[in-house]
Amino acid sequence: MSRSLHDQTLALAGIFQAAALVREIAHTGYCNEAAMETCIRSLFATDPETTLDVYGGELSDIRDGLQVLSTVFAQQARPQDAEVLRYVLNLIHLESKLKRKGDVMDVLGNRIEQARHTASHFGYTHSNLLSNLASVYSDTISTLGPRIQVSGNPNMLQREDNQHKVRALLLAGIRSAVLWRQSGGHRWQLIFKRKKVILHARELLR
């Protein structure tokens, strides 16, 4: 896997896309289903040739993530920006814990592989798959602690289907965080390389 700024930006956009969708669902109960499908599909991209292949091979698949990255990362002025950024930083922190837990990584890999049949049979946004992936998240990532506290509309967060979507998307966010680290991403880069990442995200959007 390449370790260029380009690849790091794409993987970071994957984390931002998942985080933004979590926020949308938590507040409204709805989200861009195509963007969600990209995130969920990335969980099953286990042997990609390029970083972009993880997200479907087209920049349009990760456009929402690039857009959120280029705005939230740049200003962080609105409450919703701070919320998305909190999820992103939490996901990166949890992934750093996950990489030190080989046993949990093994369980995670096996469970996602088992879910592949459900994905191929029903599709990436079907309730059966989302429920399956939500349980994978609960049984693996949630044990690493501390858990990500999702804020939003209590009426939306109490709905089981929304809970499944949120957990499945957080799992996809972890997938992108793994990819970000594999492409050379480090937490210090979020401070020292922030402007370069934002500029590259905007170039890709053009």
Side-chain angles (χ1 to χ4, degrees):
M1 189 64 70
S2 171
R3 297 169 68 86
S4 67
L5 176 69
H6 175 71
D7 293 283
Q8 291 162 22
T9 303
L10 289 173
L12 200 55
I15 311 175
F16 271 89
Q17 184 154 310
L21 290 168
V22 165
R23 189 197 170 276
E24 276 185 62
I25 291 165
H27 284 270
T28 70
Y30 299 98
C31 73
N32 180 332
E33 193 150 306
M36 181 169 72
E37 180 173 337
T38 293
C39 290
I40 302 302
R41 189 176 57 216
S42 73
L43 287 163
F44 302 96
T46 50
D47 193 26
E49 288 190 16
T50 68
T51 301
L52 190 58
D53 285 344
V54 174
Y55 303 108
E58 300 290 337
L59 277 174
S60 57
D61 293 316
I62 198 69
R63 183 176 181 81
D64 284 16
L66 289 167
Q67 188 70 58
V68 176
L69 165 59
S70 67
T71 53
V72 169
F73 216 24
Q75 53 197 41
Q76 303 162 34
R78 303 172 301 172
Q80 56 263 47
D81 295 341
E83 207 173 316
V84 168
L85 188 61
R86 175 168 64 84
Y87 297 148
V88 168
L89 295 176
N90 284 340
L91 287 165
I92 289 171
H93 177 65
L94 280 174
E95 190 279 330
S96 71
K97 287 191 163 192
L98 176 65
K99 72 179 180 181
R100 296 193 290 270
K101 298 278 189 178
D103 54 337
V104 180
M105 284 279 277
D106 289 343
V107 171
L108 185 57
N110 290 335
R111 291 281 298 276
I112 288 174
E113 195 54 42
Q114 288 167 17
R116 190 183 292 276
H117 175 72
T118 307
S120 60
H121 189 72
F122 292 105
Y124 294 107
T125 58
H126 193 277
S127 58
N128 287 9
L129 178 63
L130 297 174
S131 171
N132 191 332
L133 294 174
S135 71
V136 174
Y137 179 85
S138 297
D139 295 342
T140 56
I141 307 302
S142 287
T143 66
L144 300 173
R147 295 187 180 190
I148 296 177
Q149 299 298 317
V150 176
S151 310
N153 180 335
N155 293 329
M156 298 303 159
L157 289 170
Q158 283 164 10
R159 284 177 44 182
E160 190 177 52
D161 60 331
N162 287 338
Q163 291 172 11
H164 291 165
K165 287 176 184 176
V166 163
R167 291 185 183 122
L169 284 164
L170 290 174
L171 189 63
I174 293 286
R175 165 68 177 114
S176 286
V178 169
L179 186 63
W180 181 64
R181 176 174 54 81
Q182 289 173 337
S183 63
H186 295 282
R187 278 181 285 182
W188 59 263
Q189 290 176 331
L190 298 177
I191 300 168
F192 298 112
K193 274 194 177 179
R194 187 167 66 94
K195 286 185 179 177
K196 285 185 179 179
V197 170
I198 292 166
L199 285 173
H200 190 62
R202 288 175 177 168
E203 284 172 16
L204 293 174
L205 284 167
R206 286 199 292 270

